[in-house]
Amino acid sequence: MKKKSLIIVGLVLTFTFTGCTRGSSASNAGNKPSETVSDNAETESLAENTTEEQATDALVEKPTVSETEAEYNAEEAKKAFEESDIPDSIKNIFLSDGKFIDTQTQKEMKLSEYRLYETTYSYDDQAYTYGEEKCGVAEWYSYIIVDFDNDGKKELFYAFQPEISLHEGTVFHEHTDGKVYVYRHRTLRVNIGENGDVVASYGADFTANTLYRYSFDTEKIIKTEIAYTERQEDGGYKYYGEGKEISEAEFGSYMKLACGGGMPWTKYIIVQTN
């Protein structure tokens, strides 16, 4: 039986204009019955940076489960997922063993066949040898439903635990060809707004102090910078939003998502059996 996994994913973002603190909560719903229950909780803080240090990420284990936390109900979670407003083609992947295109391999597969591929290398006699390591998913445990690309159809951002790695995520997107494509999202250290905007920590393909918007092709997630800062030679900063220079106060309005928190996660636990 798989061990319980409880995590708190923390991030620290650095801002030049203000300091703020936010936390995100997880809502409880139910799914396929299992012997394993995981809890996905994020605690992230944003502190004003006066020393020009890069932001750092912290992974902290949650010692205990709050006594006031509602008990996970598998049937209720499954019902909530069934009644959600994501496209049926995405629902069927989890409810009816439906198929999707894995953008890492460009192959059609079922959920039980989904694998994560990591590039590995060794250094010997001044030469690199590249290889590949793969693992499956031990457990899918919580999700966010949001229309990232504002096309009128919502995407499913699902958090999972790989068999041999830390917690990660994937985005399920129904493309214009009617097929569902799955994109690996290597970090969960993100705040996601109801309009689909994304603020993430420094690193992991993201830049600190930046608001992103996602769109999709059949190979990758396309990240567009909506609001961001640029360091100047004199040590100061310029602020940009929607492609034009803006004031520091206007930039702060764009970045409220970082301070105010993102959408909550909904628990729906699915333990892989093969």
Side-chain angles (χ1 to χ4, degrees), residues 97-224:
D97 214 13
K99 293 184 177 182
F100 57 87
I101 305 296
D102 172 25
T103 55
Q104 277 193 290
T105 63
Q106 288 297 309
K107 294 180 179 179
E108 188 176 59
M109 62 184 62
K110 297 179 180 180
L111 199 65
S112 59
E113 301 170 317
Y114 182 61
R115 297 291 180 268
L116 309 172
Y117 292 86
E118 300 282 2
T119 300
T120 61
Y121 66 89
S122 59
Y123 183 76
D124 182 29
D125 197 21
Q126 298 184 345
Y128 285 101
T129 301
Y130 291 90
E132 218 170 37
E133 181 180 359
K134 63 181 178 180
C135 68
V137 174
E139 180 181 84
W140 302 84
Y141 59 90
S142 60
Y143 62 87
I144 291 173
I145 297 173
V146 64
D147 185 2
F148 280 116
D149 55 356
N150 295 303
D151 66 349
K153 294 185 298 184
K154 293 188 176 180
E155 280 74 41
L156 176 68
F157 184 23
Y158 219 128
F160 64 86
Q161 182 182 9
E163 293 172 342
I164 58 174
S165 183
L166 298 176
H167 295 77
E168 296 188 29
T170 54
V171 177
F172 293 79
H173 162 76
E174 185 183 80
H175 200 57
T176 54
D177 60 8
K179 297 179 181 179
V180 175
Y181 290 79
V182 173
Y183 308 79
R184 186 174 179 183
H185 197 285
R186 292 178 179 271
T187 180
L188 300 179
R189 296 183 287 272
V190 291
N191 287 355
I192 301 173
E194 292 183 359
N195 65 347
D197 287 350
V198 179
V199 174
S201 65
Y202 184 90
D205 298 327
F206 292 94
T207 304
N209 296 3
T210 303
L211 182 72
Y212 294 90
R213 192 164 295 150
Y214 289 170
S215 58
F216 307 87
D217 60 23
T218 58
E219 296 182 353
K220 62 183 180 298
I221 297 174
I222 302 168
K223 302 183 185 74
T224 301

Side-chain angles (χ1 to χ4, degrees), residues 5 19 37 71 79 95-96 109 154 186 201 213 236 238:
S5 59
V37 176
E71 184 177 354
K79 182 179 179 181
L95 301 174
S96 304
M109 62 184 62
K154 293 188 176 180
R186 292 178 179 271
S201 65
R213 192 164 295 150
K238 286 187 176 180

Side-chain angles (χ1 to χ4, degrees), residues 26-40:
S27 62
N28 292 310
N31 124 20
K32 298 181 181 178
S34 72
E35 296 178 296
T36 305
V37 176
S38 292
D39 180 40
N40 176 49

Side-chain angles (χ1 to χ4, degrees), residues 36-51:
T36 305
V37 176
S38 292
D39 180 40
N40 176 49
E42 292 183 0
T43 302
E44 295 143 309
S45 64
L46 303 168
E48 183 176 15
N49 179 13
T50 59
T51 62

Side-chain angles (χ1 to χ4, degrees), residues 236-252:
Y237 289 86
K238 286 187 176 180
Y239 305 91
Y240 296 90
E242 305 287 351
K244 64 181 181 180
E245 188 173 350
I246 58 177
S247 68
E248 183 177 353
E250 289 173 319
F251 179 75

